[in-house]
Amino acid sequence: MATKKISLLGSTGSIGRQTLDIVQAHRDTLEVVALAAGAGNLDVFAEQIKQFRPAVVGVPTDENRKTLLEKLGSEIRVEIETGSTGLETVAAESGADTVVTGVVGFLGLKPTAKAIEKGKTIALANKETLVAAGSAVMPMVQKYGAKIVPVDSEHSAIFQSLSGYTTNDVHSIWLTASGGPFRTWTKEQIESATRSDALKHPNWSMGQKITIDSATLMNKGLEIVEARWLFDITADRIRVVVHPQSILHSAVEFVDGSIVGQMGLPDMRLPIHYALFHPERVHSERVPRLDLTTLSQLTFEEPDIERFACLAIAKKVASEDNTSACVMNAANEIVVAAFLNERIGFKDIPKLIEQVLEKHKPVTNPGLDDILEADRWARQEADNLLKSRAA
Amino acid sequence: MATKKISLLGSTGSIGRQTLDIVQAHRDTLEVVALAAGAGNLDVFAEQIKQFRPAVVGVPTDENRKTLLEKLGSEIRVEIETGSTGLETVAAESGADTVVTGVVGFLGLKPTAKAIEKGKTIALANKETLVAAGSAVMPMVQKYGAKIVPVDSEHSAIFQSLSGYTTNDVHSIWLTASGGPFRTWTKEQIESATRSDALKHPNWSMGQKITIDSATLMNKGLEIVEARWLFDITADRIRVVVHPQSILHSAVEFVDGSIVGQMGLPDMRLPIHYALFHPERVHSERVPRLDLTTLSQLTFEEPDIERFACLAIAKKVASEDNTSACVMNAANEIVVAAFLNERIGFKDIPKLIEQVLEKHKPVTNPGLDDILEADRWARQEADNLLKSRAA
């Protein structure tokens, strides 16, 4: 197989590091041409640049650029771009075949859109691109002949299970959820959960924001919205099933009643590896194999939307064709950050999101500008609510 | 979709009745053009002919033909062929697009070969075609542009899971086994199992011969051989996993470590429906749907070849390129019939099959003639062993 050129947004985050781990094991066929990272871990970023020697990298600020240059020393030659220009250059102007969008949050939207305009394959780990802007992004994918290969484990499982078929053959999608750390907790216990309780995810090692989303089940709600756009299926045909062992990563139920699903150990390197090599299947040097005979038991249960109000909010929003999903996502980012800073309690997360949604005047079939405005408004509104509570 | 013409061998057996149940629900798109049945249930066969009005049918003997004509009365016009000519006419000369080979045992081989020579799609439920004659049949499939779509649930699951990929992408195949009625029995208990013990299958409703094969796990052994030919994969890459709930019907482990499997309720109408409509997925009126949220638990375990000697015999035979699998299959048919007639005990089944295999002089890369001769010899030898025991 020919060498595939990879660019990566969010290089020092959880998805980014695992992506580079896989690239390292396949340097004969995968080449890193561009990397972008946040300001949080420039030491690691400098090491990554020394190891993979991309032609261009992106960092948030000129200050970061200066720090990075010092860390790299004089022998490493690399073009360093900053800010949104940096992200967009790495995503769209670096000659990559596949762009891995491992950056968390709304920040991932614009560079992803630029890469789509270049007809690239997007290995999409940034949920918000589709959650907030699916109605605008999916027509672009079609128009520019781009391709989205999902990286998170559930959508990768659905994508793999759909191989050889189209959405017309689908009766419904089964989205599996681990249930998070509070699956067996009572409503009262959940309402008084602490930051450290919520950060203890049973199966997956992920960033903090996603771990909280997993505790509230907002993660699954965002995935419903994402699946809706990615697989062109109405939200009422996407069913969530709680599966605490995280072995079945999701499944497709075809019109004939047959259910095809994808299984594996809970390790993000599997969907990342799949997305990097798609449409080929390549022997993995890094993905640990699942031995089915060692599975003691797999269990499944209905999710409880009484205890997990965020899932109920997302299910409602997922059935709408407007800016509500964008607003929900933006409000969730602000509110989760406030929870991580211990400004609010766990039970306040769904309450505040609902309050923002109640005030929102949704725009139907929004374009990118409507979405940017709805996002800005929702963040502001969530901030205002947080401030008025603190006062 | 255009009407698909179906012919069916083994019309009154378990697979045959379920096939007609599905056809009945889809008479706008499926048309029965030919049926063949054994002598055991001519009343049912006459009713099937009245209901589906095939142009040609097959029965074993002239006597059966006469009986059938009486049951049909004067208003039903149908061509009735007998013996092997009848089976071959129904399989290959009836204008069918898809031939369902629901006949049990070695009897299915020749008509299936005739249908392959006509380039037809074979909905294969007759295990013995590939078990005994895979080395001869698979090159014919290629030569004549025929297609085999497996009907038994395990191979259908593998076939569905492979959709969009080829054997080159496969690391291994996971063949699931219910474990049969004796899964939790001790070796001593199994050795003294009675006919009625062995006929109590926990999940599947099937014919008696297959139910006994399921109790000995020879069923799974035959499936290893079948999978080997059907998916062009060496036997050492086919792993059996005991899964008592029979929900995961089998799975494919790709080279990248991803496992894709097919799930459903244990109901043969699902793989039959799939094979009848392949390559399309068509809404099913008959297949009961699986609700994942109602699965209390799925369990998996390593099969115990100490207690299930037939599986060990078959694993060894499956790795060979000669007439041994044919001999194992033929000996198994005779020996299982003797067990069903209560002439021998359950523990004698693997012993007698091994005795026949020990006496066999295998022919490497056999043609159909070698296979027919090996089959004849093995049946004779098994009969002789049974007679010498009785004496």
Side-chain angles (χ1 to χ4, degrees):
Chain A
M1 112 179 228
T3 300
K4 196 178 255 191
K5 293 188 167 68
I6 307 292
S7 77
L8 169 57
L9 308 180
S11 178
T12 58
S14 174
I15 294 291
R17 290 176 193 226
Q18 293 180 83
T19 300
L20 292 178
D21 183 39
I22 292 163
V23 171
Q24 178 57 33
H26 297 274
R27 293 191 75 163
D28 50 335
T29 46
L30 299 177
E31 181 193 351
V32 172
V33 294
L35 295 173
N41 217 332
L42 292 177
D43 280 331
V44 168
F45 194 41
E47 290 309 311
Q48 291 176 337
I49 294 166
K50 288 179 187 169
Q51 186 178 357
F52 293 98
R53 301 295 180 102
V56 56
V57 302
V59 286
T61 65
D62 287 342
E63 183 65 28
N64 300 144
R65 183 177 188 281
K66 207 176 135 194
T67 310
L68 187 62
L69 276 171
E70 282 162 18
K71 290 183 192 299
L72 288 174
S74 56
E75 80 273 27
I76 305 286
R77 286 177 172 279
V78 60
E79 182 189 336
I80 307 179
E81 301 280 351
T82 58
S84 59
T85 311
L87 280 175
E88 288 167 22
T89 304
V90 169
E93 307 298 336
S94 58
D97 303 304
T98 295
V99 182
V100 182
T101 62
V103 60
V104 174
F106 205 79
L107 187 65
L109 175 57
K110 283 180 80 173
T112 304
K114 292 282 180 190
I116 289 169
E117 286 174 4
K118 295 278 181 176
K120 295 191 185 297
T121 295
I122 314 294
L124 188 75
N126 173 265
K127 282 199 175 71
E128 291 76 5
T129 298
L130 289 181
V131 170
S135 61
V137 165
M138 291 312 289
M140 287 174 62
V141 170
Q142 197 137 33
K143 178 176 174 186
Y144 295 105
K147 177 153 199 161
I148 295 185
V149 183
V151 160
D152 66 352
S153 63
E154 294 82 356
H155 299 90
S156 177
I158 296 162
F159 192 92
Q160 292 180 53
S161 301
L162 261 173
S163 175
Y165 292 96
T166 71
T167 303
N168 288 334
D169 302 311
V170 175
H171 174 274
S172 50
I173 281 174
W174 287 95
L175 204 56
T176 53
S178 71
F182 305 143
R183 182 177 62 90
T184 59
W185 290 31
T186 64
K187 191 172 161 73
E188 291 67 35
Q189 287 174 317
I190 293 172
E191 287 185 349
S192 57
T194 66
R195 179 181 188 278
S196 82
D197 292 331
L199 284 174
K200 282 179 197 133
H201 194 278
N203 301 331
W204 295 96
S205 164
M206 304 178 294
Q208 289 194 341
K209 191 263 179 184
I210 295 178
T211 303
I212 301 302
D213 286 348
S214 182
T216 62
L217 294 200
M218 177 56 92
N219 190 42
K220 216 45 57 179
L222 296 173
E223 289 172 7
I224 294 175
V225 182
E226 194 181 11
R228 180 222 158 154
W229 293 113
L230 201 48
F231 303 111
D232 189 21
I233 183 169
T234 51
D236 60 313
R237 288 160 65 205
I238 303 169
R239 287 190 64 183
V240 174
V241 57
V242 174
H243 165 48
Q245 300 80 23
S246 296
I247 294 295
L248 177 69
H249 294 316
S250 279
V252 170
E253 180 171 336
F254 290 100
V255 288
D256 56 12
S258 183
I259 298 179
V260 174
Q262 185 263 327
M263 293 173 286
L265 292 170
D267 189 312
M268 284 305 292
R269 287 173 295 184
L270 177 49
I272 296 170
H273 175 99
Y274 177 83
L276 290 177
F277 286 105
H278 175 82
E280 292 187 66
R281 293 268 190 189
V282 171
H283 181 80
S284 168
E285 304 291 341
R286 281 293 189 274
V287 178
R289 288 186 181 274
L290 168 64
D291 182 341
L292 289 183
T293 62
T294 64
L295 292 177
S296 56
Q297 60 171 25
L298 303 181
T299 62
F300 299 87
E301 61 197 53
E302 191 89 47
D304 181 357
I305 57 173
E306 290 295 318
R307 287 184 298 142
F308 297 98
C310 283
L311 185 58
I313 295 171
K315 277 191 167 189
K316 184 175 174 299
V317 160
S319 67
E320 298 175 14
D321 258 322
N322 56 38
T323 43
S324 293
C326 169
V327 165
M328 175 183 75
N329 172 64
N332 182 59
E333 273 193 49
I334 301 297
V335 169
V336 167
F339 174 75
L340 283 168
N341 290 328
E342 296 180 311
R343 292 172 62 198
I344 59 169
F346 193 77
K347 69 171 187 296
D348 299 320
I349 297 174
K351 280 185 191 163
L352 287 163
I353 296 169
E354 271 197 324
Q355 285 175 30
V356 175
L357 278 167
E358 275 163 21
K359 291 197 175 184
H360 178 53
K361 295 185 179 59
V363 178
T364 305
N365 290 321
L368 270 184
D369 286 344
D370 301 314
I371 290 159
L372 291 171
E373 171 54 22
D375 177 73
R376 191 205 56 75
W377 175 87
R379 285 166 198 273
Q380 178 82 62
E381 193 61 37
D383 257 340
N384 291 347
L385 285 173
L386 286 166
K387 277 176 197 146
S388 68
R389 285 169 56 96
Chain B
M1 112 180 225
T3 301
K4 197 178 254 191
K5 294 187 167 69
I6 307 291
S7 77
L8 169 57
L9 308 180
S11 179
T12 58
S14 173
I15 295 292
R17 289 176 193 227
Q18 293 179 85
T19 300
L20 292 178
D21 183 40
I22 292 162
V23 171
Q24 178 57 34
H26 298 274
R27 292 192 76 164
D28 50 335
T29 46
L30 299 177
E31 181 192 351
V32 172
V33 294
L35 295 173
N41 218 332
L42 293 177
D43 280 332
V44 168
F45 195 39
E47 290 309 311
Q48 290 177 337
I49 294 167
K50 287 178 188 170
Q51 187 179 356
F52 292 98
R53 301 295 178 103
V56 56
V57 303
V59 285
T61 65
D62 286 342
E63 183 65 28
N64 299 144
R65 184 178 188 280
K66 209 175 132 194
T67 311
L68 187 62
L69 276 171
E70 282 163 18
K71 291 184 193 299
L72 289 174
S74 57
E75 80 273 26
I76 305 287
R77 288 178 170 278
V78 60
E79 182 189 336
I80 307 179
E81 302 279 352
T82 58
S84 60
T85 312
L87 280 174
E88 288 167 22
T89 304
V90 168
E93 307 297 336
S94 57
D97 303 305
T98 294
V99 182
V100 182
T101 62
V103 61
V104 173
F106 204 79
L107 188 65
L109 176 56
K110 283 180 81 174
T112 304
K114 292 283 179 189
I116 289 169
E117 285 173 6
K118 294 279 180 175
K120 296 191 183 298
T121 295
I122 314 295
L124 189 74
N126 173 265
K127 281 199 175 72
E128 291 75 6
T129 299
L130 290 181
V131 169
S135 62
V137 164
M138 291 311 289
M140 287 174 61
V141 169
Q142 197 138 31
K143 179 175 174 187
Y144 295 104
K147 178 153 197 161
I148 294 185
V149 183
V151 160
D152 67 351
S153 63
E154 293 83 357
H155 299 90
S156 177
I158 296 161
F159 192 92
Q160 292 180 53
S161 301
L162 261 173
S163 175
Y165 292 96
T166 70
T167 303
N168 288 334
D169 302 311
V170 176
H171 174 274
S172 50
I173 280 174
W174 288 95
L175 204 56
T176 53
S178 70
F182 305 143
R183 181 177 63 89
T184 60
W185 290 32
T186 65
K187 191 172 161 72
E188 291 68 35
Q189 287 173 316
I190 292 171
E191 287 186 349
S192 56
T194 66
R195 179 181 188 278
S196 84
D197 291 332
L199 285 174
K200 282 180 197 131
H201 194 280
N203 302 331
W204 294 95
S205 165
M206 304 177 294
Q208 288 194 341
K209 191 263 179 184
I210 295 178
T211 303
I212 301 301
D213 286 348
S214 183
T216 62
L217 294 201
M218 178 55 92
N219 190 41
K220 215 47 55 181
L222 296 173
E223 288 171 8
I224 294 175
V225 181
E226 195 181 9
R228 180 220 158 156
W229 293 114
L230 201 47
F231 304 111
D232 189 21
I233 184 170
T234 52
D236 60 313
R237 287 160 66 205
I238 303 169
R239 286 190 64 184
V240 174
V241 56
V242 174
H243 166 47
Q245 298 81 23
S246 296
I247 294 295
L248 177 68
H249 294 316
S250 280
V252 170
E253 180 171 335
F254 290 101
V255 288
D256 57 11
S258 182
I259 297 179
V260 174
Q262 184 263 328
M263 292 173 286
L265 292 170
D267 189 312
M268 283 305 293
R269 287 173 295 184
L270 177 49
I272 296 170
H273 175 99
Y274 176 82
L276 289 177
F277 287 105
H278 176 81
E280 292 187 67
R281 293 267 190 191
V282 171
H283 181 80
S284 169
E285 303 292 341
R286 282 292 190 274
V287 178
R289 287 186 181 273
L290 168 65
D291 182 342
L292 289 183
T293 63
T294 64
L295 292 177
S296 55
Q297 60 170 27
L298 303 182
T299 62
F300 299 87
E301 61 196 53
E302 190 90 46
D304 181 358
I305 57 172
E306 290 294 317
R307 288 183 297 142
F308 297 98
C310 283
L311 184 59
I313 296 170
K315 276 190 166 189
K316 184 175 174 300
V317 161
S319 67
E320 298 175 14
D321 257 321
N322 56 37
T323 42
S324 293
C326 168
V327 164
M328 176 183 76
N329 172 64
N332 183 57
E333 272 193 50
I334 300 298
V335 169
V336 167
F339 174 75
L340 283 169
N341 290 328
E342 296 180 311
R343 290 172 63 195
I344 60 169
F346 193 76
K347 70 171 187 295
D348 299 320
I349 297 174
K351 280 185 191 164
L352 287 164
I353 295 169
E354 271 198 323
Q355 286 174 30
V356 175
L357 278 168
E358 275 164 20
K359 290 197 175 185
H360 178 54
K361 295 185 180 59
V363 177
T364 305
N365 291 320
L368 269 185
D369 287 344
D370 301 313
I371 289 158
L372 290 170
E373 172 54 21
D375 178 73
R376 191 204 57 75
W377 174 87
R379 285 166 199 274
Q380 178 82 61
E381 193 62 36
D383 257 340
N384 291 347
L385 285 173
L386 286 166
K387 276 177 197 146
S388 68
R389 284 169 56 97

